[in-house]
């Protein structure tokens, strides 16, 4: 039974209509909903008067395409949800860190990004804070050893710290400490003018520029009641699929590189570059910066550019097919990928995983299908899944998605609907409203949840990158595996540090 | 196996002929910005603060700022990125001992410090078959002890500052510091935030600044090759 306020992707609802429940009722509702197959899209706090924080949960019923918003007012602490609802574990740690509210009874209450609280309600003094203090988990034993890696890595890799408890080659436990890329994105989105906000949104995760700016614009457009032309929607969909294509090609190539299969690594790396170059043709930047703007797109796609892009994509398709045939049909490749970093469908549900990681465990979660927006309401992309939940399955899901994104682009680009590329946005947003903008980025669900204040200013801008859900999956997939498999396992997830750290 | 070999032969080489053949950038590519009309008394452009976004052009008074497709942007000094005319001096090559040590072989350690990941993606791309930085003897290495210098990306936020300083200290002298991207030069899009830094801190002297958000791989490659004295074509005017 639903107790929250029902809403849909990118519809704004009045903030006062979001039920404010007693904390026990709020807990029950979230625990029951997730127990019945629901999913936590986001759970966060916002200051709500002196010494008070409002907890807000956005839940998804993916089968019905519905979202649910509910809230509760808490003071300095509340009974944690995590013991009964594991998928809230990182959200509750985040609430503790951002708002200074203690989820009592949380089994793993450690810092998430290591910064002083930035959403503290008025009247609460911040506790003393030490950036370096982090209580590591340790397993003691004469035959056990500990391996620490990072934050500065051996290659060109974003900073993060991985600490293994190992018995010989076997990993018993992996603890992942992040926050090194923290830049204070949410506070900046709440305080900077929109003209600057769009550049920050494009810089949440540099390899998911389109995904995040699409969600950022989607939220603004919902709050401003702006309708985009069918043409703008289609161009934005094409940009998002190009981003997915480039990233998946790069990921499969990186997996090939990691298992020393050089021909596929070289070809796929080059094809990734070709897709980035197509984004540059459209937008002037290899990651599509500057293209997606509130109300539509800053650049139109003229017919000759669309035709040239399709011709180049056809070549990418032909080359990819050859490279993929060679790579995926190779026994030694399969032998190396099978059984590495296995996740189960039930583990996936418990942790609330998203994107190709979930789909590789046969969980058909995809915002484009479950909560479609823009062009995806008309042009359906079938959801790709695989069964095994291992590195091989994660590669196969990407392969299928590469094929389907190519089909989508080759179909859409020559037949872009008419319309103005960009609609004007009013100066003011609707006051006292809440909206949820979801996007299926190439790593999975990107969520921006926005609450406006009484004057239409931004009261809270909550960003949830798919990596925020999925880093736990990497930690869960390693125990029992060999420490030497870590680089490969890590590549098979390819999570974002910047997207997690904000 | 034979099929694979045949595939390889059929395909030929993919590496861009660089330097030499300048690649065609698409018309919309946003390289070096210029002011129209350029000149005396007008505002100065700071490439270190520029995010190369179309919004910056539209925010400027009627047509004053426009982006060219010129990808060569690097400078040896911070002031060298500020220009009133849109002209940029070519960065001076290393001289003497540094040139002898690094000119034909440069090993770099990457330090990512509070970035969005975009600049690193382009650094990684430099290693692929298209840009193939290794053919110039430039490589990323796994330890600061093996390195001749560091490449810094990101705003150098409080959470990474100590790690950056330690890595810098661990690189043996003489060592180079290369700041890649708007974030490492001045904080980029995050420069207003308390949890972001404003780029490489004063205690770590920078030898080469490469602007962009992120810089195109060829912008990075061009800067590195000029630093090493591997491009001295003077196409960017007097060396300074
Ligand atoms: S300069 Fe731009 S691309 Fe590079 S790290 Fe900063 S925001 Fe990302």
């Amino acid at each position: 039974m639903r107790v929250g306020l029902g809403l849909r992707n990118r519809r704004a609802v009045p903030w006062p209509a979001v039920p404010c429940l007693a904390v026990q009722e709020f807990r029950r509702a979230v625990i029951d909903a997730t127990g019945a197959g629901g999913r936590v899209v986001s759970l966060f706090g916002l200051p709500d008067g002196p010494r008070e924080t409002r907890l807000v949960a956005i839940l998804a019923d993916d089968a019905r395409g519905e979202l649910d918003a509910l809230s509760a007012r808490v003071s300095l602490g509340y009974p944690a949800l995590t013991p009964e609802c594991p998928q809230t574990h990182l959200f509750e740690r985040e609430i503790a860190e951002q708002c200074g509210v203690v989820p009592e009874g949380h089994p793993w209450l450690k810092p998430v990004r290591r910064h002083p609280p930035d959403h503290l309600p008025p009247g609460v003094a911040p506790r003393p804070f030490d950036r370096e203090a982090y209580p590591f988990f340790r397993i003691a034993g004469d035959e056990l050893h500990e391996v620490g890696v990072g934050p500065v890595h051996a290659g060109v890799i974003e900073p993060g710290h991985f600490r293994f408890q190992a018995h010989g080659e076997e990993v018993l436990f992996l603890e992942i400490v992040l926050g090194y890329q923290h830049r204070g994105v949410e506070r900046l989105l709440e305080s900077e003018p929109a003209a600057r906000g769009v550049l920050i949104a494009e810089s949440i995760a540099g390899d998911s520029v389109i995904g995040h700016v699409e969600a950022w614009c989607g939220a603004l457009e919902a709050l401003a009641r702006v309708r985009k032309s069918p043409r703008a929607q289609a161009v934005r969909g094409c940009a998002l699929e190009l981003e997915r294509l480039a990233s998946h090609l790069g990921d499969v190539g990186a997996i090939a590189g990691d298992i020393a299969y050089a021909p596929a690594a070289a070809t796929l790396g080059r094809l990734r570059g070709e897709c980035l170059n197509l984004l540059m043709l459209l937008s002037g930047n290899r990651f599509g910066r500057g293209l997606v703007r509130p109300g539509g797109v800053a650049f139109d796609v003229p017919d000759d550019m669309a035709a040239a892009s399709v011709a180049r994509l056809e070549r990418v398709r032909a080359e990819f097919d050859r490279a993929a045939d060679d790579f995926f049909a190779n026994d030694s490749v399969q032998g190396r990928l099978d059984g590495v970093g296995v996740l189960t469908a039930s583990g996936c549900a418990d942790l609330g995983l998203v994107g190709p990681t979930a789909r590789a465990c046969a969980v058909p979660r995809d915002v484009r299908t479950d909560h479609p927006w823009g062009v995806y309401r008309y042009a359906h992309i079938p959801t790709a899944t695989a069964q095994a939940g291992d590195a091989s399955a994660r590669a196969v899901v990407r392969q299928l998605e590469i094929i389907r994104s190519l089909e989508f682009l080759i179909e859409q680009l020559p037949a872009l609907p008419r319309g103005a590329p960009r609609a004007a946005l009013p100066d003011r947003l609707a006051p006292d409203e809440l909206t949820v903008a979801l996007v299926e980025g190439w790593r999975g669900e990107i969520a921006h949840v926005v609450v406006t204040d009484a004057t239409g200013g931004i009261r809270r801008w909550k960003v949830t990158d798919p990596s925020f859900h999925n880093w736990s999956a990497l930690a869960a997939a390693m125990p029992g595996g060999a420490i030497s498999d870590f680089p490969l396992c890590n590549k098979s997830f390819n999570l974002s540090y910047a997207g997690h750290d904000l | 196996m034979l099929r694979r070999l045949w595939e390889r032969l059929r395909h030929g080489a993919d590496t861009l002929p660089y330097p030499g053949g300048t690649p065609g950038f698409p018309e919309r590519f946003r390289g070096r910005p210029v002011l129209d009309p350029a000149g005396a008394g007008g505002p100065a452009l700071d490439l270190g603060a520029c995010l190369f976004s179309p919004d910056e052009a539209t925010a400027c008074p009627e047509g004053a700022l426009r982006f060219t497709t010129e990808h060569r942007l690097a400078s040896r000094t911070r002031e060298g990125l500020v220009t009133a005319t849109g002209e940029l001096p070519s960065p001076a090559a290393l001289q003497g001992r540094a040139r002898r040590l690094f000119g034909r072989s440069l090993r770099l350690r990457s330090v990512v410090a509070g970035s969005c990941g975009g600049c690193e993606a382009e650094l990684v791309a430099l290693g692929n078959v298209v840009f193939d930085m290794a053919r110039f003897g430039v490589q990323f290495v796994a330890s600061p002890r093996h390195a001749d210098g560091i490449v810094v990306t990101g705003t150098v936020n409080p959470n990474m500052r100590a790690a950056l300083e330690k890595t810098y200290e661990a690189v043996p002298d003489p060592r180079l510091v290369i700041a890649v991207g708007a974030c490492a030069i001045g904080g980029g899009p995050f420069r207003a935030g308390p949890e972001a830094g404003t780029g490489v801190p004063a205690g770590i002297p920078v030898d080469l600044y490469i602007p962009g958000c992120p810089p195109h791989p060829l912008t990075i490659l061009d800067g590195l090759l000029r630093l090493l004295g591997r491009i001295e074509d003077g196409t960017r005017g007097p060396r300074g």
Side-chain angles (χ1 to χ4, degrees):
Chain A
M1 197 198 64
R2 166 188 280 163
V3 286
L5 175 69
L7 70 156
R8 287 187 174 263
N9 187 7
R10 295 164 190 240
R11 294 285 164 72
V13 292
W15 167 244
V18 175
C20 184
L21 309 170
V23 78
Q24 284 303 346
E25 240 183 300
F26 175 82
R27 281 186 88 245
R28 214 45 284 150
V30 175
I31 293 164
D32 289 349
T34 52
R39 193 167 58 78
V40 179
V41 169
S42 198
L43 173 66
F44 60 94
L46 72 161
D48 199 26
R51 299 169 68 83
E52 303 263 21
T53 294
R54 187 85 81 93
L55 299 183
V56 181
I58 307 294
L59 308 175
D61 180 340
D62 294 323
R64 291 220 177 101
E66 285 173 3
L67 302 169
D68 206 13
L70 52 151
S71 73
R73 197 172 283 124
V74 299
S75 188
L76 298 178
Y78 71 98
L81 290 133
T82 301
E84 286 168 80
C85 179
Q87 56 174 303
T88 59
H89 75 108
L90 196 56
F91 287 112
E92 292 200 300
R93 286 168 59 186
E94 188 186 37
I95 289 168
E97 187 165 77
Q98 293 188 329
C99 312
V101 174
V102 180
E104 290 144 7
H106 191 293
W108 198 260
L109 194 55
K110 303 188 183 194
V112 180
R113 308 184 175 101
R114 292 165 297 119
H115 62 83
D118 52 2
H119 289 84
L120 211 56
V124 180
R127 271 184 277 266
F129 166 74
D130 176 4
R131 271 179 209 281
E132 303 304 318
Y134 187 92
F136 281 99
F137 177 79
R138 276 194 105 148
I139 305 179
D142 287 348
E143 296 192 348
L144 303 184
H145 63 120
E146 188 177 74
V147 182
V149 195
V152 183
H153 295 290
V156 184
I157 304 168
E158 292 183 70
H161 180 82
F162 302 92
R163 196 166 289 201
F164 300 87
Q165 310 293 319
H167 180 234
E169 262 291 280
E170 188 192 349
V171 176
L172 302 178
F173 190 80
L174 164 60
E175 182 156 14
I176 303 173
V177 182
L178 300 173
Y180 298 96
Q181 293 277 55
H182 181 59
R183 294 140 289 154
V185 162
E186 289 183 359
R187 285 301 294 149
L188 286 169
L189 291 178
E190 288 157 5
S191 57
E192 292 290 299
R196 187 131 190 110
V198 70
L199 303 177
I200 295 162
E202 287 182 327
S203 309
I204 293 172
D207 52 17
S208 302
V209 169
I210 303 288
H212 272 288
V213 74
E214 173 66 55
W216 184 86
C217 289
L220 273 192
E221 288 155 1
L223 292 165
R225 311 280 188 277
V226 167
R227 300 185 79 88
K228 298 178 292 294
S229 71
R231 187 177 186 86
Q233 294 177 3
V235 173
R236 274 161 60 159
C238 288
L240 187 66
E241 294 312 314
L242 269 175
E243 180 172 275
R244 186 181 330 276
L245 196 51
S247 307
H248 282 358
L249 284 164
D251 279 359
V252 180
I255 291 172
D258 232 70
I259 60 174
Y261 198 75
T267 304
L268 295 171
R270 181 171 48 78
L271 295 181
R272 166 185 178 271
E274 175 65 357
C275 295
L276 295 181
N277 289 342
L278 283 171
L279 269 175
M280 177 165 70
L281 181 72
L282 255 59
S283 72
N285 175 281
R286 300 219 312 157
F287 297 92
R289 288 172 183 262
L291 178 64
V292 177
R293 286 295 177 268
V297 285
F299 299 98
D300 200 358
V301 182
D303 290 348
D304 55 342
M305 186 183 283
S309 303
V310 169
R312 286 165 69 174
L313 286 165
E314 293 279 14
R315 282 199 292 278
V316 169
R317 175 149 76 179
E319 286 200 62
F320 174 71
D321 285 348
R322 270 202 300 274
D325 278 353
D326 177 41
F327 182 68
F328 285 99
N330 188 308
D331 295 341
S332 60
V333 168
Q334 280 309 324
R336 184 67 189 87
L337 298 181
D338 280 350
V340 171
V342 181
L343 292 169
T344 61
S346 72
C348 179
D350 282 350
L351 291 172
L353 306 182
V354 295
T357 299
R359 297 195 282 276
C361 303
V363 178
R365 241 166 224 176
D366 189 325
V367 181
R368 293 172 295 174
T369 303
D370 303 335
H371 309 274
W373 78 97
V375 67
Y376 301 105
R377 284 176 296 153
Y378 315 108
H380 182 62
I381 299 183
T383 302
T385 56
Q387 304 294 320
D390 57 4
S392 168
R394 289 187 281 277
V396 166
V397 166
R398 290 185 176 101
Q399 179 198 11
L400 296 172
E401 295 189 5
I402 288 168
I403 295 167
R404 288 171 190 177
S405 292
L406 278 164
E407 275 168 10
F408 174 91
L409 284 160
I410 290 170
E411 192 181 299
Q412 290 291 319
L413 277 170
L416 290 174
R418 292 181 184 285
R422 189 170 179 183
L425 211 69
D427 288 341
R428 279 166 48 104
L429 303 178
D432 277 327
E433 288 198 331
L434 170 142
T435 192
V436 180
L438 303 181
V439 169
E440 185 71 22
W442 60 273
R443 286 193 181 92
E445 179 180 272
I446 294 171
H448 286 213
V449 184
V450 185
V451 180
T452 54
D453 64 18
T455 63
I458 306 297
R459 183 168 169 206
R460 187 75 170 92
W461 199 297
K462 177 79 207 122
V463 177
T464 307
D465 186 86
S467 301
F468 188 81
H469 300 280
N470 284 3
W471 273 109
S472 313
L474 175 59
M478 276 311 291
I483 208 166
S484 52
D485 270 351
F486 177 69
L488 173 59
C489 193
N490 190 20
K491 288 253 168 47
S492 77
F493 289 96
N494 190 15
L495 299 164
S496 170
Y497 302 70
H500 171 280
D501 290 350
L502 300 176
Chain B
M1 188 65 212
L2 280 177
R3 192 165 57 86
R4 261 165 230 141
L5 271 179
W6 166 244
E7 188 61 28
R8 192 69 212 84
L9 287 171
R10 185 194 59 80
H11 189 79
D14 291 312
T15 307
L16 277 177
Y18 192 90
T22 322
F25 285 96
E27 195 188 318
R28 289 175 181 174
F29 175 71
R30 288 183 296 281
R32 180 163 61 83
V34 290
L35 288 168
D36 289 330
L45 269 173
D46 181 358
L47 266 63
C50 185
L51 299 178
F52 297 80
S53 87
D55 316 80
E56 287 166 316
T58 42
C60 249
E62 205 54 48
L65 179 87
R66 101 190 132 74
F67 290 99
T68 68
T69 57
E70 172 59 68
H71 70 285
R72 294 168 293 187
L73 303 170
S75 168
R76 292 293 305 275
T77 62
R78 183 67 187 84
E79 310 80 64
L81 294 173
V82 183
T83 160
T85 58
E87 283 305 306
L88 282 176
S90 177
L94 295 168
Q95 297 298 336
R97 179 159 174 255
R99 170 85 163 261
R100 274 200 309 281
L101 281 172
F102 306 138
R104 302 182 64 78
S105 159
L106 182 66
R107 299 284 183 268
L108 297 167
R109 173 79 162 165
S110 152
V111 183
V112 183
S115 79
C116 79
C119 283
E120 295 77 60
E122 295 300 47
L123 290 175
V124 172
L126 279 173
N128 73 22
V129 289
V130 177
F131 301 110
D132 192 19
M133 176 176 76
R135 78 196 132 121
F136 302 105
V138 187
Q139 263 174 17
F140 286 104
V141 290
S143 163
R145 301 286 187 208
H146 302 160
D148 304 314
I150 56 175
V151 173
V152 185
T153 48
T155 64
V156 191
N157 55 348
N159 280 355
M160 271 307 286
R161 188 161 175 162
L164 169 65
E165 283 164 354
K166 279 189 198 161
T167 308
Y168 175 69
E169 288 306 325
V171 177
D173 249 340
R175 58 197 159 188
L176 297 174
V177 178
I178 300 165
V180 171
C183 283
I185 297 173
F190 310 105
R191 64 175 169 261
E195 279 294 309
T198 52
V200 181
I204 300 182
V206 175
D207 297 282
L208 185 68
Y209 295 87
I210 304 179
C213 182
H216 191 281
L218 289 179
T219 304
I220 307 174
L221 192 58
D222 172 78
L224 289 172
L225 295 183
R226 282 172 200 273
L227 177 73
L228 299 179
R230 305 284 290 270
I231 302 182
E232 287 182 294
D233 57 5
T235 48
R236 289 181 49 188
R239 307 216 321 252

